């Protein structure tokens, strides 16, 4: 099997490469952004024609936290729409029979019932701060669904929860909450600071899954003869932001005080995926949050030491 993993230099793509690198009978196809611009339609179509992959995982995309999504919405919708369209349509033109498109839990409505089931998609308004990204991801998963319906190819989608792990983006402003916390507490520890600020009350609940668990779920889904068009991938459990912040501080070794600023926004009170569909098919995550945090902080230190820290 010739497997093309788009976005292999990112956190999710890197986890997929680790998962499939030693899989018997799998030949990995990867390209950096300099080697293949996925927003360039003709370049993507030429790649498919030349390399002839059997299976494609679309893990590439422009991603970021609330600040980045809110500041650069035009870039987020344009680039993610182009990547989805080019990768999916190009795969069909190139004769690819199997494709897995990776979305995000932010595709679900802002006020979706908790935990969020797959059938709540498009049932009400999206969270405004990441609407541009969410719309692009919804378009991609619907494109996969409709190509399957019209052309008979097995194109399907997985919606992961909040992810973390090796190779994450640790940018001070544009990163997601987990890498932002790891970097903040690490730098505070190194500087000997007495306290670290934290936004909000700490009461909202969030779900976090290690990227290696997502990669394992992707391998599982690709083995299914008739996978669901759309399936949630998560842990089925969540933590309060306060619990998460305290755990990150403990793993990093920060001994100071955490100061909560309740004047800052909390965001949605809860975002938890309903993973009963995937669980019923026979898959469960394996990496606990405690183990995952320890592994991620160790990789952060190694990436920093090697001068390869993203962000």
């Amino acid at each position: 099997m010739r497997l093309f993993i788009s976005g292999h230099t990112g956190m999710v793509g890197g986890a997929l490469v680790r998962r499939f690198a030693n899989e018997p009978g799998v030949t990995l196809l990867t390209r950096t952004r300099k080697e293949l611009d996925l927003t360039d339609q003709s370049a993507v179509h030429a790649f498919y024609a030349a390399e002839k992959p059997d299976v494609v995982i679309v893990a590439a995309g422009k991603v970021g936290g609330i600040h980045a999504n809110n500041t650069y919405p035009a870039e987020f919708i344009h680039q993610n729409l182009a990547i989805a369209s080019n990768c999916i349509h190009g795969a069909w033109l190139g004769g690819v029979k199997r494709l897995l498109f990776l979305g995000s839990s932010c595709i679900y409505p802002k006020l979706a019932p908790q935990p969020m089931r797959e059938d709540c998609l498009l049932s009400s308004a999206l969270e405004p701060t990441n609407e541009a990204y969410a719309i692009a991801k919804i378009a991609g998963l619907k494109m996969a669904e409709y190509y399957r319906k019209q052309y008979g190819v097995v194109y399907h989608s997985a919606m992961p929860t909040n992810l973390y792990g090796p190779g994450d983006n640790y940018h001070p402003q544009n990163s997601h909450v987990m890498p932002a916390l790891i970097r903040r507490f690490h730098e505070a520890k190194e500087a000997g600071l007495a306290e670290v600020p934290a936004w909000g009350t700490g009461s909202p609940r969030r779900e976090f899954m290690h990227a290696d668990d997502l990669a394992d779920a992707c391998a599982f889904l690709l083995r299914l003869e008739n996978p669901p068009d759309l399936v949630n991938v998560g842990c089925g459990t969540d933590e309060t932001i306060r619990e998460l912040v305290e755990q990150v501080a403990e793993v990093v070794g920060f001994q100071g005080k955490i100061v909560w600023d309740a004047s800052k926004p909390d965001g949605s009170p809860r975002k938890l995926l309903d993973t009963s569909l995937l669980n019923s098919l026979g898959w469960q995550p394996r990496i606990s949050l405690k183990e995952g945090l320890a592994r991620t902080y160790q990789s952060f230190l190694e990436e920093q030491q090697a001068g390869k820290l993203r962000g």
Side-chain angles (χ1 to χ4, degrees):
M1 177 178 74
R2 293 173 63 78
L3 170 62
F4 173 45
I5 299 174
S6 72
H8 77 285
T9 60
M11 177 182 64
V12 172
L16 289 165
V17 169
R18 288 193 297 276
R19 176 62 181 79
F20 287 100
N22 298 313
E23 191 85 2
V26 173
T27 299
L28 285 181
L29 302 174
T30 60
R31 292 292 187 277
T32 64
R33 189 176 303 173
K34 288 183 178 180
E35 293 169 332
L36 176 61
D37 180 359
L38 295 174
T39 67
D40 183 334
Q41 185 183 70
S42 60
V44 174
H45 291 184
F47 166 79
Y48 279 126
E51 295 296 338
K52 296 180 171 52
D54 302 299
V55 179
V56 172
I57 303 178
V58 184
K62 181 175 179 61
V63 299
I66 293 175
H67 174 79
N69 275 273
N70 220 11
T71 308
Y72 312 109
E75 293 175 32
F76 272 82
I77 195 166
H78 169 249
Q79 292 185 31
N80 286 299
L81 275 173
I83 289 169
S85 179
N86 293 342
C87 286
I88 294 170
H89 185 64
W92 176 70
L93 288 178
V96 177
K97 301 298 184 185
R98 187 86 185 223
L99 180 144
L100 177 59
F101 179 80
L102 298 184
S104 164
S105 60
C106 76
I107 64 164
Y108 292 121
K110 178 180 181 178
L111 301 178
Q114 300 293 321
M116 298 180 289
R117 291 162 44 102
E118 289 87 352
D119 59 9
C120 74
L121 179 67
L122 297 176
S123 60
S124 59
L126 297 164
E127 162 58 46
T129 56
N130 58 23
E131 184 182 79
Y133 177 77
I135 286 173
K137 285 298 183 180
I138 292 169
L141 73 90
K142 282 297 183 182
M143 191 173 180
E145 177 185 335
Y146 295 143
Y147 273 56
R148 184 179 189 177
K149 180 180 180 180
Q150 182 171 340
Y151 300 127
V153 289
V154 186
Y155 290 8
H156 51 117
S157 302
M159 297 301 111
T161 188
N162 299 306
L163 299 169
Y164 68 99
D168 209 338
N169 186 330
Y170 293 92
H171 191 281
Q173 281 82 43
N174 296 338
S175 62
H176 289 105
V177 61
M178 185 76 85
L181 287 172
I182 290 173
R183 180 167 188 162
R184 187 184 309 166
F185 280 115
H186 173 78
E187 291 179 347
K189 182 183 74 170
E190 294 294 293
L193 299 183
E195 59 184 46
V196 164
W199 277 28
T201 64
S203 61
R205 303 186 69 87
R206 294 291 183 269
E207 179 184 17
F208 293 93
M209 185 173 71
H210 196 280
D212 285 345
D213 268 338
L214 171 63
D216 188 66
C218 290
F220 174 83
L221 289 169
L222 288 174
R223 290 194 296 268
L224 297 179
E225 186 176 340
N226 186 30
D229 284 329
L230 166 64
V231 64
N232 290 336
V233 183
C235 303
T237 59
D238 54 8
E239 324 275 331
T240 66
I241 292 297
R242 183 176 293 271
E243 290 168 338
L244 174 69
V245 167
E246 291 171 350
Q247 287 189 67
V248 173
E250 181 181 352
V251 166
V252 171
F254 174 71
Q255 302 292 323
K257 183 180 180 182
I258 300 168
V259 181
W260 293 89
D261 183 355
S263 68
K264 294 293 194 292
D266 267 336
S268 301
R270 195 180 193 194
K271 283 183 67 178
L272 177 66
L273 290 181
D274 183 323
T275 57
S276 56
L277 175 56
L278 184 56
N279 297 157
S280 72
L281 295 171
W283 186 86
Q284 296 277 352
R286 301 173 184 174
I287 303 171
S288 69
L289 182 59
K290 183 177 181 179
E291 177 191 350
L293 278 174
R295 285 164 56 170
T296 302
Y297 182 53
Q298 182 59 39
S299 69
F300 168 88
L301 295 174
E302 293 169 358
E303 290 161 28
Q304 185 181 59
Q305 181 68 27
K308 296 181 179 179
L309 198 68
R310 294 176 62 211

